[in-house]
Amino acid sequence: MNALLHGDLHFKNMLVNENGIVSGIIDWGDLSVGHPACDLSVAYSFLPQYARGVFFETYGVADEETKLLARLIAVYIPALILMQAVDDGNEAIATEAKSNIMRALSD
């Protein structure tokens, strides 16, 4: 099952207003077709645990394997961003990457 993907959907490519509401998505350079788990990872890295049920109800069919893969990606991508932020000495990005990882690991 393939889907149209942003392909690089993580917190650094999401515009958020002063109320914490997503107001836009940037960096569409990796637009592609692939496994939906790639973009569904935001359900784990960005949303609080209590909002995931509503997210997936609204999204539609996503089997348990897709959700598990999405959660894995939701840990993996912020971990890579965290390593880069540490190398760059960027504490703000490192802190947000850690928050993404913790949200992805929460049940």
Side-chain angles (χ1 to χ4, degrees):
M1 158 180 70
N2 286 326
L4 183 64
L5 303 172
H6 177 275
D8 193 24
L9 191 56
H10 54 72
F11 73 93
K12 289 178 68 178
N13 290 333
M14 300 171 81
L15 302 177
V16 180
N17 70 18
E18 61 278 351
N19 297 319
I21 297 171
V22 176
S23 59
I25 304 294
I26 61 171
D27 189 12
W28 290 86
D30 291 324
L31 184 69
S32 60
V33 173
H35 198 288
C38 294
D39 283 355
L40 291 176
S41 64
V42 299
Y44 296 99
S45 63
F46 186 75
L47 296 177
Q49 185 271 336
Y50 66 84
R52 293 178 193 152
V54 173
F55 175 89
F56 283 110
E57 284 176 24
T58 303
Y59 175 79
V61 178
D63 61 27
E64 292 307 310
E65 184 176 308
T66 296
K67 290 178 182 179
L68 183 60
L69 181 56
R71 189 185 293 249
L72 173 67
I73 294 167
V75 172
Y76 177 71
I77 298 300
L80 295 176
I81 293 171
L82 174 60
M83 290 189 298
Q84 183 67 51
V86 169
D87 285 349
D88 294 344
N90 190 328
E91 289 186 37
I93 295 293
T95 298
E96 186 59 30
K98 289 176 192 175
S99 293
N100 277 235
I101 294 166
M102 296 309 295
R103 271 192 299 276
L105 294 174
S106 71
D107 283 329

